[in-house]
Amino acid sequence: MTRLRSRGLRALALAGALVLALPAAAVTLPRPVLATAGALQMAGSGEMRWFGLKLYDAALWVQPGVDAISPAGAGQPLNKPYALALRYTRNISGEALVTASLDEIRRLGEADEGRLARWKPLLEKALPSVAPGDTLVGLHEPGRGASFWHQGQLTARIDDPQLAGAFFGIWLDARTREPQLRARLLGLARP
C-alpha cells in the first residue's frame, strides 16, 4: 500500500512538473480571436519574469507566411494584423495592469500626459484583473486599432491606432524593457 501510494505521488509530481514545463507555445488563441483575425501562426513565444518570479507566458501570432519583422529588417514589427497572447501565472489586478502599461508607454517616449489620461479608461476596459491560468489576447490591426479578449470574451475594441501601437510596443518596440522576450516573440531567439 505504501509502495502504491509512493508511486501515485511520484506520478502526480511528474504530471505536475510536465504541466509546469509546458512551453509558452501552449498559449493558444481563442476561437473568437481567430474569427476576427483569420488564420494566424505562432511566430515565437517566451515567458516574462520579474525579480525571478514568472508572471506570464507570451506568444506572438502572425499571418501565415509572414515574418514577424518587417522585410526591411529594421527590427520593426510587421505592419499587418497580429495577436499577442499572455497566459498569467499570478493574480494581478486590472489597475496594476493598466498602471504598468501606461508607465511603459511613457517610458517608451509618450510624453503627452493629456493623451495618456484619455488612454487610461480605454485600457481599464480592455485589461481586467487576471488569475493564474487566465489568458489575455490583444489583436493589433496597425493603422486601425486593437481588440482585447479575456478568457475568450471580448473586453474592448479600441479605435485608436496610436494607443494600439504604443501598447504593443511594450513588448515589440526595439526599446522594450525585455529585449530577450521580444527576440523570442519575434522568432529571433529560442525560448
Side-chain angles (χ1 to χ4, degrees):
M1 178 77 165
T2 304
R3 184 179 234 176
L4 182 61
R5 190 160 71 184
S6 176
R7 282 186 190 162
L9 289 175
R10 279 191 298 218
L12 183 60
L14 177 60
L18 290 174
V19 167
L20 292 175
L22 282 175
V27 180
T28 59
L29 294 178
R31 283 191 188 117
V33 177
L34 294 172
T36 302
L40 296 175
Q41 66 184 21
M42 192 175 60
S45 63
E47 63 181 36
M48 172 63 182
R49 291 185 173 271
W50 186 67
F51 292 109
L53 298 173
K54 184 175 175 180
L55 299 179
Y56 55 78
D57 290 310
L60 180 67
W61 297 81
V62 298
Q63 295 177 350
V66 174
D67 289 329
I69 296 293
S70 66
Q76 297 300 314
L78 188 64
N79 62 359
K80 297 196 184 239
Y82 58 85
L84 180 67
L86 306 176
R87 186 182 58 228
Y88 288 84
T89 60
R90 304 198 168 279
N91 290 314
I92 304 175
S93 72
E95 180 181 352
L97 292 174
V98 170
T99 298
S101 297
L102 289 171
D103 288 348
E104 284 303 299
I105 290 169
R106 189 178 285 113
R107 188 188 67 75
L108 289 170
E110 179 54 63
D112 185 334
E113 289 299 322
R115 180 178 291 148
L116 290 166
R118 286 189 305 276
W119 287 354
K120 184 178 180 184
L122 298 173
L123 290 175
E124 287 172 340
K125 186 175 178 189
L127 305 174
S129 296
V130 293
D134 281 6
T135 300
L136 288 178
V137 177
L139 174 64
H140 185 204
E141 297 180 81
R144 293 177 54 196
S147 299
F148 294 87
W149 289 264
H150 174 241
Q151 295 297 93
Q153 298 295 315
L154 184 68
T155 59
R157 288 190 199 281
I158 296 175
D159 295 322
D160 185 330
Q162 287 182 308
L163 171 54
F167 179 80
F168 288 94
I170 294 169
W171 293 270
L172 302 176
D173 189 288
R175 300 166 296 162
T176 182
R177 188 179 297 273
E178 298 294 330
Q180 291 145 343
L181 176 58
R182 176 185 184 267
R184 288 182 180 115
L185 290 172
L186 294 173
L188 302 174
R190 293 180 187 220

